[in-house]
Structure formats: C-alpha cells, structure tokens
Amino acid sequence: MPLQNLYTKVMEHDIRTGNLAIDTAGVLHDREYYEPLWAKRNEIEKWRKEFKDQWQKEQKKMDNSLSSMRKSHLHYIQRCEELEKAKALSAKAEEELQGTAGSGNKQLEKRRRYRDEVQMKVNELEVIYKTSVFDANNRRVELEKVRERIISHIRKLMYQGDEVLTRVTLRMFKLQHGQAERIPEGYDYLTEVCKPYKSGEKYLEFIQNLQKKELPIEVYKFKEFVVSGQR
C-alpha cells in the first residue's frame, strides 16, 4: 500500500497525542488544578462557618442588650409616671392639711413616705437604665468591630482565592500549550516524510520484489488449408 509506513506513523503520532492529553488532564486534575482549588474552597468554607458563628453570637449579644435596655427604659418610665402621681397626691395632701389637723397629718406622712419610696425606686431604675444604655452602645461598637474584622478577612480570602485560580489557570494553559505545540511539530515531520514520495514508487518496488518466473515461449506456425478427402 502506498504510504503505508507513513500512515502507521500518523496513527502512532495520534496515539501519543491522545496519551499526552490524558496525562495532562491527570496532572491538572490531581496536582496542578483540582487540588489547589479544592484546598482553597475548603479553607473558605471553614472560615465562612466561623464568621457566621461569630456574627450570630455578636448579634445575639446585641439583641439581648437592646432587649434589656428597652425593658429597663419601660420600667424607668413607669416608675417616673408613678412618682409624678405620688408627688401630686403628696402636694394635694399638704394643701388639704392646711385646713385640718390630726388624721390629716398622718395621711400626709403616709403619702410622703410613698413618694420617697417611689423616688428611691426611680433612682435605682435610672441607674439600671443608664447602665443598659451604656452596655448597648458598647455592644454596638463591638458589633461594628466584628463586622469590620470579618469583612477584612473575607476580602483577604477572596484575593487569595483569585490568586490561586489565576495561578492554576495559567499553569493549565502552559501545559496545554506545550501539549498543543507537539501536534503541529509531529505533522510537520510527517509532511516532510510524505513529500519525497513519487507516484508509482511503491508499485514499482512491489513488481521488482516479485519472484521472477520463466515462461515458456511458444512458437506458432502457419497451417495450410487442406481439402477434405486429400488428407
């Protein structure tokens, strides 16, 4: 067959190219591409869970602090309103006492004691309320610090992830480029092998390699016409 050896080389070249592609894919999958990306993904996922846990804890503290502040504020307002009523009753008792004596004095003392008790309770609740306001403000500051710290860390992780992705992508292109370079080089070689072939060369070679057989040379003679009966 003309160019049989050349086509054998073509098939061998294609097999080598296919095997090289498989090897390159294996290298990319195991060491150069898949493993670095998988490791970075796992690292990011671990930090994502950690950040989520940190944020939820800080938010819970913030919510508890706000709830405590609202409750203490409500109690403080209620006691202040109660104190205003107690002051009004005490003032009213003082006015009424001016025209009476005896039992009215006892009533005034009772209302004054009640007013003073409510005042002490208001003072206590005011301290509690101010403390809860201070704590809520501190919690708000801490929550903002945690938020900034998490965002800063996330930004670093994103940069690192992009760097890994860029590095493995460039490595992939380099390996595939090296693989692709060999394909045209192989075909260039095969082209040079094909060019010198001359049409009919293999057929002539085939004929020349045949076993030569001696063929007997027959000699043909003229045969005259002979009339029947004269033979």
Side-chain angles (χ1 to χ4, degrees):
M1 175 183 174
L3 303 179
Q4 180 178 1
N5 185 50
L6 177 63
Y7 277 98
T8 301
K9 291 181 181 297
V10 170
M11 293 180 64
E12 291 173 351
H13 173 266
D14 289 345
I15 291 171
R16 284 195 300 271
T17 301
N19 290 335
L20 181 60
I22 294 173
D23 293 341
T24 301
V27 171
L28 289 173
H29 184 272
D30 293 336
R31 298 190 303 276
E32 301 293 342
Y33 193 83
Y34 179 79
E35 287 184 0
L37 289 178
W38 183 255
K40 180 54 66 176
R41 177 195 176 279
N42 289 340
E43 181 186 355
I44 291 175
E45 180 63 18
K46 183 193 74 172
W47 279 112
R48 185 192 68 80
K49 293 179 179 178
E50 177 67 21
F51 294 152
K52 182 179 179 181
D53 185 57
Q54 289 180 15
W55 184 249
Q56 288 179 340
K57 286 180 179 178
E58 289 300 321
Q59 277 193 319
K60 186 176 181 180
K61 291 178 181 178
M62 185 75 242
D63 291 342
N64 291 339
S65 181
L66 290 174
S67 177
S68 177
M69 183 186 72
R70 293 188 187 103
K71 288 179 181 178
S72 60
H73 176 252
L74 178 61
H75 293 159
Y76 170 69
I77 293 299
Q78 288 173 344
R79 286 296 183 178
C80 285
E81 291 174 349
E82 186 179 350
L83 177 60
E84 290 302 314
K85 291 178 182 179
K87 287 180 178 179
L89 291 174
S90 178
K92 183 178 180 181
E94 288 180 359
E95 291 178 0
E96 292 175 350
L97 183 62
Q98 293 177 0
T100 60
S103 61
N105 197 21
K106 290 181 180 181
Q107 182 71 17
L108 177 61
E109 287 299 322
K110 182 180 179 180
R111 290 185 176 180
R112 282 178 176 175
R113 282 197 305 271
Y114 174 68
R115 181 196 63 190
D116 294 341
E117 288 173 1
V118 175
Q119 181 67 61
M120 290 178 60
K121 194 62 179 177
V122 166
N123 293 339
E124 292 175 3
L125 290 173
E126 182 178 343
V127 172
I128 294 173
Y129 176 45
K130 287 180 178 179
T131 301
S132 67
V133 170
F134 179 78
D135 182 63
N137 286 326
N138 284 341
R139 280 290 156 208
R140 176 62 65 187
V141 172
E142 287 301 317
L143 186 67
E144 182 63 21
K145 288 180 180 178
V146 171
R147 187 186 70 85
E148 291 176 356
R149 185 169 64 249
I150 290 175
I151 290 175
S152 176
H153 203 150
I154 289 175
R155 187 182 296 113
K156 290 179 182 178
L157 286 174
M158 292 302 101
Y159 282 137
Q160 291 172 3
D162 286 349
E163 287 174 355
V164 172
L165 180 60
T166 302
R167 185 174 69 251
V168 299
T169 301
L170 291 176
R171 178 59 178 162
M172 177 185 69
F173 289 157
K174 183 177 180 181
L175 286 172
Q176 291 182 332
H177 180 70
Q179 171 191 328
E181 277 184 336
R182 302 183 188 184
I183 297 174
E185 288 176 359
Y187 283 115
D188 286 344
Y189 165 74
L190 293 172
T191 300
E192 294 303 318
V193 172
C194 181
K195 282 180 179 179
Y197 178 74
K198 296 178 181 178
S199 300
E201 182 179 338
K202 278 292 178 183
Y203 176 72
L204 179 61
E205 184 181 328
F206 171 74
I207 294 299
Q208 289 175 345
N209 289 333
L210 286 176
Q211 237 179 0
K212 293 184 179 180
K213 293 181 180 180
E214 293 292 336
L215 296 177
I217 300 175
E218 295 185 15
V219 178
Y220 302 97
K221 294 182 179 180
F222 175 76
K223 294 180 180 181
E224 278 188 46
F225 174 76
V226 178
V227 180
S228 299
Q230 292 183 359
R231 299 178 182 176

